[in-house]
């Protein structure tokens, strides 16, 4: 049973809307744009907000489940010492823990989602804090379970499974538990680590409070000479401005604020890494990386192969960026030029409804069942899609076994937003297929698998748009979008993975990770991937400090964007080439949840991530797209 606190989120940088003949001609969307004030939540149309009342109709109902979990935890001692007694006793104990985690999952996720709606509301923040504390208490109360289960001789355990009706469905779960035996401590120490989990996980909370509630980024002058508030959502839109001065001012305005808090953010990040290192070493892992990968049976080579292979084959990336410089007509490509449009756009805004239909069109190769379910989600209000003051930034999908698979984003009317919609909906539909197919035991799935569903959606949508482009002029902005997303989700995330690995290694070696040390490390990694293709402004060295994924409760997350992109690129190609058989393999992957190890699930779907080949093949696809861009530019000229 995977932890309910794991959730997928994907933060992206906005780019330009691209002019197309299909589905893109629409009325302006009713969102807050760069010229208007960010609305309060009650000013956002209800049709653009999710409906959490299916989880709890009121805070009072949430409180009832909170108390119910407390009562259930009071029964924990009655199961202590019983697991080895008999098969039925073991089954009863497993089902008891499932009940605790399932109800607690609802308590935790609801509080988190309410908090993320507007992080200025202290009542909801308090609920989330209480839910975190309750989760820590549950971990402590149930900490006896794993060491006691692992104390059962394996031959006796499997005999109990064979002889007891109902235990057979837990074979994969028990196998995963047995793999952890060398890293499971005695019951007393497990209880101590469980008590420590809440305070040691506060670094992510501190960053989120700073990043989403306390930090402001001043004001910038837009293209029309109007002074407007700079927000993170608007920052992405400003980076796609045709006005280089606007791009520069927005970039420096945002990065300067993180630079001002550099010492605080570095101290917080170092504390997070020390906490992860402490937990890993206490359990006997060689490193925090090994501790992160081992539970899902992912070889460390999968991580290191990714970093080394991409770093050693960054020439196509650098070639594209030099081509981008030429197309922009600038002498030097600055970091604030990386998302600037070099292709003409016939329109620069689309309504959310147009984006919704655009995505549905792109996902049609997955079949009617998939597309029908996609539309059903909007009818059932799974989505929260508009920015409001205090709302958590970025985009993410989160839900529980019994809830809707909710997702959140801040829609600004760009094609990039449509791609984010496809991405997050991929996460939510993954949850739906898993939760309606698997028992609660296997309703969680590895983060290694999580991004594959979402990125396959993106790849299918982009390929459909390219296929339906009728002229080189229509095709050019699509290639720009595809290449930039490719760069962001694959090359950029691989560089992040390199930084994260080296940052952990510094802390594990006892070296201080000060602001200056972190900045130097980031600058060195950036240069190794981007070479001389981009001029790195001194403030760029602080970028590590604004990446929330580095402080996730499940660290070593970012590499999975790159590995997932490689897997998704392969799966999308199979779906488009083979049709229904490959689409069905993909759907089966979504339905499988956590019923097998992620590497094996991907193999069944048609991709083997234990070798560098999928990474090399992905780089080759990028190189082909760059060649197609050159050809398209030549045709237009």
């Amino acid at each position: 049973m995977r932890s309910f606190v794991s959730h997928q989120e994907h933060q992206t940088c906005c780019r330009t809307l691209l002019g197309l003949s299909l589905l893109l001609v629409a009325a302006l969307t009713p969102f807050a744009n760069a010229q208007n004030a960010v609305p309060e939540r009650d000013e956002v149309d209800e049709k653009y907000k999710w409906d959490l009342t299916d989880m709890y109709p009121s805070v009072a109902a949430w409180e009832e489940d909170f108390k119910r979990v407390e009562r259930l935890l009071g029964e924990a001692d009655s199961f202590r010492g019983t697991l080895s007694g008999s098969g039925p006793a073991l089954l009863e104990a497993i089902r008891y823990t499932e009940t605790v985690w399932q109800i607690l999952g609802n308590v935790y996720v609801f509080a988190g989602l309410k908090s993320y709606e507007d992080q200025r509301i202290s009542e909801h923040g308090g609920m989330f804090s209480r839910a975190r504390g309750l989760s820590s208490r549950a971990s402590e109360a149930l900490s006896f379970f794993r060491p006691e289960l692992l104390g059962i001789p394996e031959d006796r355990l499997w005999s109990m499974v064979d002889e007891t009706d109902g235990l057979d469905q837990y074979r994969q779960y028990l196998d995963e538990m047995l793999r952890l035996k060398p890293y499971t401590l005695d019951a007393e120490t497990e209880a101590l680590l469980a008590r420590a989990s809440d305070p040691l996980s506060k670094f992510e909370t501190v960053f989120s409070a700073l990043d989403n509630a306390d930090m402001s980024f001043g004001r910038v002058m837009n293209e029309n000479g109007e002074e407007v508030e700079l927000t993170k959502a608007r920052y992405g839109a400003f980076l796609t401005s045709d006005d280089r001065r606007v791009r520069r001012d927005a970039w420096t305005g945002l990065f300067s604020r993180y630079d001002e808090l550099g010492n605080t953010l570095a101290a917080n990040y170092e504390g997070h890494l020390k906490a992860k290192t402490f937990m890993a070493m206490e359990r006997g892992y060689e490193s925090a990386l090994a501790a992160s990968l081992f539970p899902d049976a992912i070889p460390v080579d999968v991580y290191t192969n990714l970093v080394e292979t991409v770093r050693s084959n960054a020439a196509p990336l650098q070639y594209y960026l030099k081509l981008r410089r030429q197309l922009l007509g600038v002498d030097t490509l600055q970091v604030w030029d990386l998302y600037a449009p070099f292709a003409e756009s016939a329109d620069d805004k689309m309504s959310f409804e147009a984006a919704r239909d655009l995505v549905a069109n792109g996902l049609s190769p997955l079949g009617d069942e998939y597309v029908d379910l996609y539309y059903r989600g909007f009818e059932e209000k799974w989505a929260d899609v508009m920015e409001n003051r205090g709302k958590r930034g970025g985009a993410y999908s989160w839900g529980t076994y019994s809830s809707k698979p909710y997702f959140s984003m801040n829609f600004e009317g760009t094609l990039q937003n449509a791609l984010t919609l496809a991405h997050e909906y991929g996460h939510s539909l993954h949850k739906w297929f898993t939760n309606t197919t698997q028992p609660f035991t296997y309703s969680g799935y590895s983060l290694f698998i999580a991004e594959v569903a979402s990125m396959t959606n993106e790849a299918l949508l982009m390929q459909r748009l390219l296929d339906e482009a009728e002229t080189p002029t229509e095709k050019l902005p699509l290639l720009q979008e595809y290449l930039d997303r490719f760069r962001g989700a694959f090359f950029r995330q691989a560089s992040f993975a390199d930084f994260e690995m080296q940052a952990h290694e510094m802390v594990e070696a006892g070296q201080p990770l000060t602001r200056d040390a972190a900045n130097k490390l980031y600058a060195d990694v950036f240069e190794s991937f981007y070479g001389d293709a981009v001029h790195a402004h001194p403030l760029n060295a602080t970028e590590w400090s604004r990446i929330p994924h580095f402080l996730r409760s499940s660290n070593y997350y970012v590499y999975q964007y790159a590995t997932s992109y490689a897997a998704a690129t392969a799966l999308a190609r199979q779906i488009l080439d083979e049709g229904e058989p490959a689409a069905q393999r993909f759907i089966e992957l979504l339905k499988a949840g956590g019923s097998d190890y992620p590497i094996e699930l991907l193999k069944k779907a048609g991709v083997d991530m234990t070798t560098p080949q999928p990474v090399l093949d992905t780089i080759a696809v990028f190189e082909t797209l760059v060649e197609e861009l050159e050809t398209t530019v030549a045709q237009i000229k």
Side-chain angles (χ1 to χ4, degrees):
M1 288 168 283
R2 302 187 188 281
S3 172
F4 58 83
V5 297
S6 295
H7 63 288
Q8 295 75 47
E9 57 186 73
H10 183 46
Q11 302 200 50
T12 51
C13 293
C14 296
R15 302 185 183 98
T16 185
L17 173 67
L18 311 173
L20 296 173
S21 58
L22 72 156
L23 294 176
L24 293 190
V25 180
L28 289 179
T29 183
F31 55 75
N33 60 29
Q35 280 71 45
N36 299 322
V38 178
E40 297 292 339
R41 186 164 181 82
D42 60 7
E43 296 173 332
V44 177
D45 194 312
E46 290 296 322
K47 67 181 179 180
Y48 298 123
K49 295 189 284 191
W50 54 31
D51 177 14
L52 300 182
T53 59
D54 278 0
M55 292 189 76
Y56 293 104
S58 65
V59 172
W62 177 85
E63 289 283 3
E64 289 179 8
D65 261 4
F66 190 99
K67 293 174 182 177
R68 184 181 174 194
V69 173
E70 289 183 315
R71 290 194 297 271
L72 283 168
L73 294 180
E75 301 172 13
D77 282 346
S78 66
F79 292 93
R80 192 185 301 269
T82 68
L83 274 59
S84 63
S86 66
L90 176 60
L91 179 61
E92 184 182 6
I94 291 175
R95 287 176 173 170
Y96 160 74
T97 63
E98 286 187 324
T99 299
V100 171
W101 290 122
Q102 189 166 351
I103 300 171
L104 180 53
N106 288 329
V107 169
Y108 190 101
V109 173
F110 178 83
L113 293 175
K114 289 299 292 182
S115 172
Y116 292 163
E117 288 179 348
D118 186 344
Q119 296 193 126
R120 301 170 304 169
I121 300 177
S122 58
E123 177 189 3
H124 297 159
M127 289 169 60
F128 198 17
S129 180
R130 289 175 60 203
R132 289 179 185 273
L134 186 62
S135 174
S136 180
R137 286 156 56 192
S139 295
E140 180 182 353
L142 302 179
S143 61
F144 71 88
F145 187 90
R146 188 167 73 179
E148 189 171 318
L149 185 147
L150 295 180
I152 303 173
E154 287 191 34
D155 56 348
R156 172 166 169 71
L157 176 62
W158 294 123
S159 293
M160 292 164 67
V161 172
D162 292 337
E163 297 167 1
T164 307
D165 290 341
L167 269 182
D168 189 65
Q169 80 169 53
Y170 296 98
R171 283 186 181 275
Q172 174 66 22
Y173 161 67
L174 292 171
D175 187 67
E176 291 183 20
M177 292 280 280
L178 289 173
R179 288 189 71 255
L180 296 174
K181 189 170 185 176
Y183 306 105
T184 299
L185 309 175
D186 60 82
E188 182 179 349
T189 307
E190 287 291 339
L192 175 63
L193 293 182
R195 289 195 298 273
S197 64
D198 185 40
L200 289 179
S201 67
K202 290 299 182 183
F203 302 100
E204 181 182 13
T205 308
V206 170
F207 176 81
S208 182
L210 280 170
D211 195 42
N212 295 296
D214 293 344
M215 290 180 72
S216 60
F217 304 100
R219 304 179 72 81
V220 296
M221 190 172 295
N222 66 16
E223 296 89 341
N224 300 322
E226 301 165 329
E227 197 175 73
V228 296
E229 182 181 0
L230 176 62
T231 68
K232 286 185 293 181
R234 289 172 177 174
Y235 163 77
F238 283 133
L239 283 193
T240 67
S241 173
D242 290 322
D243 189 328
R244 201 180 194 197
R245 191 270 308 162
V246 171
R247 300 197 301 266
R248 182 200 64 207
D249 290 353
W251 188 90
T252 55
L254 191 87
F255 273 65
S256 293
R257 184 63 175 134
Y258 288 97
D259 185 54
E260 290 170 4
L261 294 175
N263 291 319
T264 298
L265 294 169
N268 189 63
Y269 185 44
E270 184 185 43
H272 170 76
L273 296 186
K274 285 184 175 181
K276 292 301 179 184
T277 299
F278 167 77
M279 295 295 280
M281 298 306 178
E282 284 301 302
R283 293 196 176 280
Y285 289 102
E286 293 182 0
S287 64
L289 176 60
S292 177
L293 301 182
F294 185 82
D296 288 327
I298 297 171
V300 172
D301 285 351
V302 170
Y303 192 106
T304 55
N305 281 340
L306 168 73
V307 170
E308 293 167 3
T309 302
V310 179
R311 189 198 302 128
S312 300
N313 292 274
L317 168 65
Q318 295 171 19
Y319 185 82
Y320 166 63
L321 292 174
K322 291 176 180 178
L323 180 59
R324 165 176 263 284
R325 178 187 62 78
Q326 296 173 16
L327 292 172
L328 286 174
V330 296
D331 293 334
T332 303
L333 190 71
Q334 301 285 351
V335 285
W336 50 79
D337 297 323
L338 289 174
Y339 302 100
F342 55 72
E344 290 290 333
S345 173
D347 195 355
D348 64 354
K349 296 294 179 187
M350 74 170 95
S351 70
F352 181 77
E353 289 73 19
R356 177 198 62 197
D357 294 342
L358 180 70
V359 172
N361 183 46
L363 300 182
S364 59
L366 292 173
D368 291 342
E369 178 189 11
Y370 194 92
V371 175
D372 289 347
L373 182 59
Y374 169 85
Y375 276 113
R376 174 179 157 188
F378 293 108
E379 295 171 3
E380 296 181 353
K381 302 192 70 174
W382 298 359
D384 201 274
V385 298
M386 298 298 175
E387 183 181 17
N388 60 255
R389 286 193 176 275
K391 182 179 175 181
R392 184 182 181 185
Y396 60 90
S397 173
W398 203 11
T400 70
Y401 187 63
S402 59
S403 80
K404 297 172 182 176
Y406 296 104
F407 70 91
S408 173
M409 63 180 293
N410 291 320
F411 186 78
E412 290 281 344
T414 66
L415 178 59
Q416 189 277 335
N417 291 155
L419 287 159
T420 298
L421 174 61
H423 182 106
E424 296 307 331
Y425 228 115
H427 285 314
S428 289
L429 290 176
H430 190 181
K431 290 183 180 70
W432 189 91
F433 277 110
T434 292
N435 291 348
T436 57
T437 305
Q438 297 294 333
F440 176 73
T441 315
Y442 305 122
S443 61
Y445 42 81
S446 167
L447 293 173
F448 192 79
I449 291 288
E451 294 299 332
V452 173
S454 53
M455 291 182 174
T456 300
N457 276 10
E458 286 191 55
L460 290 172
L461 176 56
M462 281 307 312
Q463 192 59 54
R464 173 58 62 92
L465 295 174
L466 283 171
D467 290 344
E468 295 188 357
E470 297 178 353
T471 67
T473 302
E474 286 184 353
K475 196 172 189 179
L476 180 61
L478 288 170
L479 286 167
Q480 170 187 259
E481 179 68 26
Y482 201 177
L483 284 163
D484 283 345
R485 289 188 74 85
F486 208 126
R487 171 173 56 85
F490 182 71
F491 289 101
R492 179 173 163 84
Q493 301 303 324
S495 72
F496 283 174
D498 195 356
F499 170 82
E500 187 173 14
M501 178 175 66
Q502 292 191 57
H504 275 85
E505 289 172 351
M506 287 179 64
V507 170
E508 288 166 6
Q511 300 175 33
L513 192 67
T514 62
R515 168 187 177 169
D516 289 345
N519 284 357
K520 182 180 185 307
L521 174 59
Y522 190 86
D524 290 345
V525 170
F526 188 88
E527 183 178 6
S528 69
F529 279 80
Y530 293 87
D532 63 355
V534 182
H535 176 261
H537 187 282
L539 280 176
N540 192 61
T542 70
E543 185 170 30
W544 62 269
S545 67
R546 60 177 294 262
I547 307 301
H549 293 62
F550 289 157
L551 290 113
R552 292 286 298 271
S553 56
S554 51
N555 60 333
Y556 283 110
Y557 184 84
V558 293
Y559 88 98
Q560 293 163 113
Y561 281 120
T563 54
S564 292
Y565 203 93
T569 299
L571 290 172
R573 178 49 50 198
Q574 292 172 19
I575 291 165
L576 293 171
D577 289 346
E578 299 178 33
E580 184 179 356
Q584 191 55 45
R585 289 199 303 272
F586 177 71
I587 298 295
E588 290 303 314
L589 172 67
L590 305 187
K591 291 180 177 180
S595 61
D596 201 349
Y597 293 107
I599 290 290
E600 299 307 314
L601 291 174
L602 282 176
K603 285 180 180 178
K604 294 174 186 176
V607 181
D608 185 358
M609 293 302 301
T610 61
T611 74
Q613 196 58 48
V615 178
L616 291 169
D617 290 344
T618 301
I619 295 172
V621 170
F622 182 85
E623 193 166 16
T624 299
L625 288 169
V626 175
E627 293 170 357
E628 189 173 357
L629 173 64
E630 285 190 294
T631 300
T632 302
V633 169
Q635 289 172 340
I636 293 175
K637 291 180 178 179

